[in-house]
Amino acid sequence: MGVPPDQDNIPLQRCPDLVIKSDTPKGRGVFATKDIPARTIIDICPVVVLGLEENKEHIEKTSLYHYTYNWPTIDVSGKPKTAQAVIFGLGSMFNHSTQEQNVGWIRDPSRLVIIYRALRDIAAGEELCISYGSHLTFEDADVAPATPPEDEIEQLRMIEPY
C-alpha cells in the first residue's frame, strides 16, 4: 500500500465526499469535499447504549465519555433515565457549533441509530458541525466575546445622525 496523497486528510470510504482534517482550530473535524444539498442524509450511525452503572463507574472516568451522547432509557424500576450512547461512524467526529451549525441529528431509539442530515446547503470546503446542546463540558468557541462598553458607545456614535 502506498502513502495517501494528502497526509492531512483521511478519505472516508463510505462517505466519499467528506474528509477528516486533523489540523483545525477545534482539533479533528469533518469537511465537505463537494457541495452537499440541504436535507441530504450525511450518515446514519449505529449506537451502543451503555448501562447506567457501567457509565457511572467506568466511562465517565475516561476520555470516551466526551464522545458519548445522552440517550433516553428506562431504569429497572421503570422510570425514565438518561443513559449515554457510544456512536459509531461520523457522529463522534462532528465538532460543535452554536452559530455555524449545518448538520442536524435525531435519535431513533427503536432502531438504535442517529440520523444526521444537512440543515442547509453546505459548500465544498466547509466544516460539518452539529450542536451539542447547552450542557457543554468545554468553552464554546462560537460564542461571540462581549463588546466592551466603550466600543458600543463608539458604534452608536457612528450610526447616530449629526
Side-chain angles (χ1 to χ4, degrees):
M1 282 201 141
V3 176
D6 187 344
Q7 293 284 343
D8 294 330
N9 296 328
I10 301 167
L12 300 172
Q13 299 306 313
R14 82 181 209 190
C15 304
D17 298 337
L18 302 174
V19 294
I20 293 176
K21 293 188 178 192
S22 299
D23 59 349
T24 77
K26 294 180 181 180
R28 287 186 294 187
V30 180
F31 288 77
T33 59
K34 294 185 179 174
D35 293 347
I36 301 171
R39 304 205 33 79
T40 298
I41 292 179
I42 305 293
D43 202 2
I44 299 174
C45 298
V47 307
V48 171
V49 180
L50 302 170
L52 296 172
E53 288 302 313
E54 174 184 29
N55 185 60
K56 192 80 172 155
E57 297 298 319
H58 303 289
I59 303 302
E60 282 186 12
K61 298 172 183 168
T62 70
S63 58
L64 178 60
Y65 180 69
H66 300 289
Y67 291 91
T68 62
Y69 283 46
N70 290 340
W71 197 267
T73 191
I74 306 291
D75 71 9
V76 291
S77 65
K79 293 180 182 171
K81 294 285 184 182
T82 300
Q84 294 302 120
V86 176
I87 313 305
F88 296 103
L90 289 179
S92 293
M93 293 291 101
F94 294 123
N95 281 319
H96 167 77
S97 181
T98 314
Q99 304 193 7
E100 299 297 324
Q101 173 187 355
N102 53 15
V103 175
W105 56 277
I106 58 167
R107 295 176 191 91
D108 184 341
S110 65
R111 296 190 303 159
L112 293 175
V113 298
I114 294 182
I115 301 163
Y116 298 89
R117 187 182 299 269
L119 294 174
R120 59 170 173 75
D121 291 340
I122 301 171
E126 190 174 349
E127 182 175 12
L128 280 65
C129 292
I130 64 173
S131 173
Y132 292 179
S134 60
H135 301 287
L136 301 177
T137 59
F138 55 88
E139 189 172 324
D140 189 347
D142 285 351
V143 174
T147 305
E150 59 274 9
D151 288 350
E152 287 179 353
I153 292 169
E154 185 58 32
Q155 288 172 356
L156 284 173
R157 283 190 188 128
M158 287 193 267
I159 61 172
E160 289 180 309
Y162 290 102

